[in-house]
Amino acid sequence: PGRSKMAACSGRGRDGSHSLDKSITLPPDEIFRNLKNAKRFAIDIGGSLTKLAYYSTVEHKVAKVRSFDHSGKDGSSELLYEISVQEEITARLHFIKFENTYIETCLDFIKDHLVNTETKVIKATGCGAHKFKDLLEEKLGLKVDKEDEMSCLIKGCNFVLKNIPHEAFVYVKHADPEFRFQTMQPDVFPYLLVSIGAGVCIVKVESEDKFQRVGGSSIGGGTFWGLGALLTKTKRFDELLQLASRGQHTNVDMLVQDSYGGAYESLGLTGDLIASSFGKSATADKEFSKEDMAKSLLHMISNDIGQLACLYTKLHDLKRVYFGGFFIRGHPVTMHAITYSINFFTKGEVQALFLRHEGYLGAIGAFLKGAEEDNPNQYSWGENYAGSSGLMSTSPDIYPLQRARSGTFDMLEMDRLERQLVSLPLLLDTSSYVPDTVDLAQDAMAREYWLSCFEEALDGVVKRAVASQPDLPDAVERAEKFRRKYLHKLQTLRHQPLTLPGEDGTVAHRKFLQSRYCILVEFTCLNTRSIDIKQKENDIALKCFQRVINSLNALGWEERQFALVKGLLAGNVFDWGAKAVSDVLESVPEFGFEEAKRKLQDRPWLVDSYNEWLERLKGPPHKCALFFVDNSGLDIILGVFPFVRELLSRGTEVVLACNSGPALNDVTYNESQIVTERIAVMDPIIQLALKEERLLLVQTGSSSPCLDLSRLDKGLANLVRERKTDLVIIEGMGRAIHTNYYAALRCESLKLAVIKNSWLAQRLGGKLFSVVFKYEAPPK
Amino acid sequence: VFLFCFIVFPWFGMDIGGTLVKLVYFEPKDITAEEEQEEVENLKSIRKYLISNVAYGSTGIRDVHLELKDLTICGRKGNLHFIRFPTQDMSVFLQMGRDKHFSSLHTTLCATGGGAYKFEPDFRMMADLQLQKLDELDCLIKGVIYIDSVGFNGHSECYYFENPTDPEHCQKIPCNLGNPYPLLLVNIGSGVSILAVYSKDNYKRVTGTSLGGGTFLGLCCLLTGCTTFEEALEMASHGDSTKVDKLVRDIYGGDYDRFRLPGWAVASSFGNMISKEKRETVSKEDLARATLVTITNNIGSITRMCAVNENINRVVFVGNFLRINTLSMKLLAYALDYWSKGQLKALFLEHEGYFGAVGALLELLDSA
């Protein structure tokens, strides 16, 4: 008798898996990447799947800018800065998941390609760790060091919750989208982890190192599988789930209405509630279908687990419950049943949460245990979209073929970020903040538009990438590789919006750009030419700066405020990230600032709260403004700086936030330093403000043309707090329209952009070069 | 002083559950000659039919061993009889009611359980009988408190198992509920309801589970081809669940010390059945036993959590799942004692599934 413990594994692999052809051709260099520099191996061998983890360093080329020495001021050097291509080394974590059947083939491959490693041991966990110990030691020549399953699981869980945005999600059947991703919480503890393997293990996690098994149950995945196999003569777990997804449990279960004729109203029990699982099958006169029995069994087990989870949640006063284990493994039918149960038993007070990388937790944890000296927990890590498979739908009823294929190998790669990322302290509600304005998974029209857009733009990107590396003979080949990989991602997305490799379901075009960048870096196609173009534009703009300031100074106060805003908007027209402007820029490079102003829509603008902004300016100055800038060149020099100068003159401190890394023609932190220095030489107001630290430059920690306010450099967040920032200005389509258009802040905010894309303009009810000027004060 | 009860005979209480109908009948033994004279023929025939038989039709049964003798209710002395039949035979019962002209007695028929609602139109149409519908949890608690107070023919209604963790010395010990509050009342019928009872009329339903007696029987029928509860229990008593279930020791070779889990604990119910070879070697008896153990342990587990959450340490199990089911009772006693480290005590009552029906009868008398 008694209660149980969890056993993540279920003894044998899937029945019949041994008959699979083991000599299946792997594309191993695509899967086990960067083995050359690999170290710190860890492996988690479960009942049917193996998860391998290792650490590598990746070298790629980055373009760096360096200011020339202008102290001579002889004017002979027209160049603003020097560009050099440098090798940058980043740390990367690799996680690969494959069926146990392939373990030997995979180990052989690793052995052949692992050179130069100092690694002596491999951390191992999972119930198969024991069974495969000898094989591991023999094949890899590494000593197997076993780690406790549960502590690995928890360690892995903490790691993904802290490092992967949108790791946790809520599942809503029939909703669109079905997966609702949760924003990262500043504090992940405490939480309850319900791991459903053969049995169920319920763990309360209080901190990084403190967790405790609070309970469990013997009715788990093994019960579903074992009892299901007996009842339906169906051997495989996945087939049982397929049966269940087609069945009707009401034919087997006794419902409240079967005994009451309706609802049991005084207790609020509805008629369709299950009164007795399998209550109708106590008869010899009737045959029951396999589907119905499997469905009834699934309900019985899911409800039971949900109920226990709720009882423990209540007992320990917890709000967050994550479900994992092979019973869940992304199966919609199971997630729905668990979600339903939790919702029922907690009367909607607690939500069942699932994890995208649930299958990797053990391997991640085992890896972390072996890598403590690298202090992986001290850094922020980012998912590398180029090398990750992302959330694969394992639904038995959706895309069975896709599943069969994707089930073979699945990858997760994470890059160590140079900076720690946190939420902007000024967000009104961190937990409900979603950066993206349009969810492409949800919005088919928007999806189709963006997909064609990216497909069309691809040739240009490839062309520019090749042109940027004329001295590298393999540039064409690498660029082609990039084109294929990126096209493949786009096509996958077109057909299966929820299963885009590298996506987490909230498919936003922010992620496309990010993934394009990741792939570019991957193939070292980083384009130094974009810096050339930027530099040219910066030079033109700097020459105009003084003239622009003079003409502004000639205006009266009210006229000047409008001219400043118009200048800001005109500057924003220059953005070859947007297709319309990039065409112009490539054909007519002299497209002028004044001409841009003329192109702008006249007031009233598409979104127009300029009057409110002007009224506000008549009031007391802001304490400190945080300004997320957009493009290099005319935008920052002739649009942003005059505006900033006015703020400074009003007595407002200004924090300019720029990208840490390059994205399209966005101004980077390095560039902004150089540009600011140059302007300071010309302008005493800027110079003084710099000296007195009333004008500060910070980096966002991002290399994306979009802006995720929940993943910002920690230094920026601290500064925002210290300076008591009370105004946030976000400029440009990528940061203020595609993302953050609906972001609610605790302080005043200004979101402005020029719509440089006719489709989007149309969709917003405007025309090309329509203006969005959105000034908002926080809710009182 | 002679207390006269104005409720006309016959006195019935009925509990129509998902699987079984429970009926209690009060047989007055103090009928005066005068009353006998006045007693209508129909009433006499019903009384004689019930008292002179122990089985009715092919499925109705009178649990003679539970009969309460020389009971005084409402000033009348008599015996209380306990009768049950499957809910699916309701139409046979109604037919009998019509044949015996039950409706001519102008009595109120008090009924509880889901069937009181579901079958109300049938009672009216087939037997011309008006049901007085009563809440099943009210009746259940009323019945438990009453029967415990009158005792079981001079013996205790309530009992527990001494040394539940030691099979050699585990034995049934009678006791009195006395002042039982607060009390966790777990009713295991087809499904399970768990109530926290704070006084005779202050209680709440804490939770319930659909994994109950109906699940045990339903699964046993599918797995073994048996058809009755008795058959299923008989098989279970000869089976070995450890062949079907995966135990902690099957995975760890012994106890799992890190979490202080004993090797004999079940890690995964039916967990061994994922293997084809093992599926081929288990017997029907093993499967029946595993089903019983799975359902029982799960009820024990949910009960224990509820007891902790509600801060109650006395638990009374009732319901027909426990009928002739010492195996489950001992398992529950063991599970509660072991996992609560002796903090929780499992109590049982002799009249297992009849309390709802008794409560319905008491409601009838209270209505006077």
Side-chain angles (χ1 to χ4, degrees), chain B residues 1 76 116 120 146 216 221 245 367:
Chain B
V1 181
R76 301 301 299 255
E120 192 189 15
Y146 176 77
F216 163 64
C221 291
D245 295 339
S367 67

Side-chain angles (χ1 to χ4, degrees), chain A residues 148-165:
Chain A
D148 177 71
E149 234 174 289
M150 193 48 64
S151 46
C152 289
L153 192 70
I154 305 292
K155 233 181 167 53
C157 191
N158 293 340
F159 187 77
V160 295
L161 285 175
K162 282 204 256 179
N163 287 290
I164 303 188

Side-chain angles (χ1 to χ4, degrees), chain A residues 6 149-158 160-161 190-196 200-206 211-216 305 309 312-313 318 320-325 353-355 358 361-362:
Chain A
M6 130 166 204
E149 234 174 289
M150 193 48 64
S151 46
C152 289
L153 192 70
I154 305 292
K155 233 181 167 53
C157 191
N158 293 340
V160 295
L161 285 175
Y191 66 86
L192 200 68
L193 180 67
V194 180
S195 174
I196 315 172
V200 181
C201 185
I202 302 177
V203 186
K204 177 186 175 185
V205 185
E206 287 172 88
F211 70 88
Q212 154 193 27
R213 180 192 181 276
V214 289
I305 294 170
Y312 284 100
T313 308
L318 298 167
R320 268 169 285 177
V321 192
Y322 299 101
F323 289 85
L353 294 165
F354 304 95
L355 300 171
E358 177 275 315
L361 301 185

Side-chain angles (χ1 to χ4, degrees), chain A residues 95-165:
Chain A
F95 302 97
I96 300 111
K97 183 158 75 181
F98 49 87
E99 290 192 20
N100 288 356
T101 332
Y102 302 120
I103 197 163
E104 216 170 319
T105 321
C106 291
L107 292 178
D108 280 337
F109 179 84
I110 293 166
K111 191 191 179 185
D112 292 346
H113 292 77
L114 192 62
V115 281
N116 226 349
T117 181
E118 297 144 29
T119 302
K120 298 265 187 306
V121 296
I122 178 167
K123 291 279 180 188
T125 188
C127 57
H130 184 72
K131 189 172 148 196
F132 289 98
K133 182 174 180 280
D134 293 342
L135 187 73
L136 282 169
E137 295 196 333
E138 175 210 333
K139 292 277 178 193
L140 294 181
L142 300 175
K143 192 179 159 296
V144 171
D145 191 4
K146 276 188 74 177
E147 286 289 343
D148 177 71
E149 234 174 289
M150 193 48 64
S151 46
C152 289
L153 192 70
I154 305 292
K155 233 181 167 53
C157 191
N158 293 340
F159 187 77
V160 295
L161 285 175
K162 282 204 256 179
N163 287 290
I164 303 188

Side-chain angles (χ1 to χ4, degrees), chain B residues 43 75 80 101 109 114 128 162 186 199 359:
Chain B
L43 178 57
L80 197 57
H101 304 287
L109 196 51
D128 193 23
E162 197 178 51
V186 182
S199 73

Side-chain angles (χ1 to χ4, degrees), chain B residues 155-161 171-176 348 350:
Chain B
H155 302 283
S156 279
E157 170 69 14
C158 184
Y159 59 93
Y160 65 95
F161 288 91
Q171 53 176 330
K172 184 173 162 179
I173 305 287
C175 67
N176 277 313
F348 302 92
E350 299 282 2

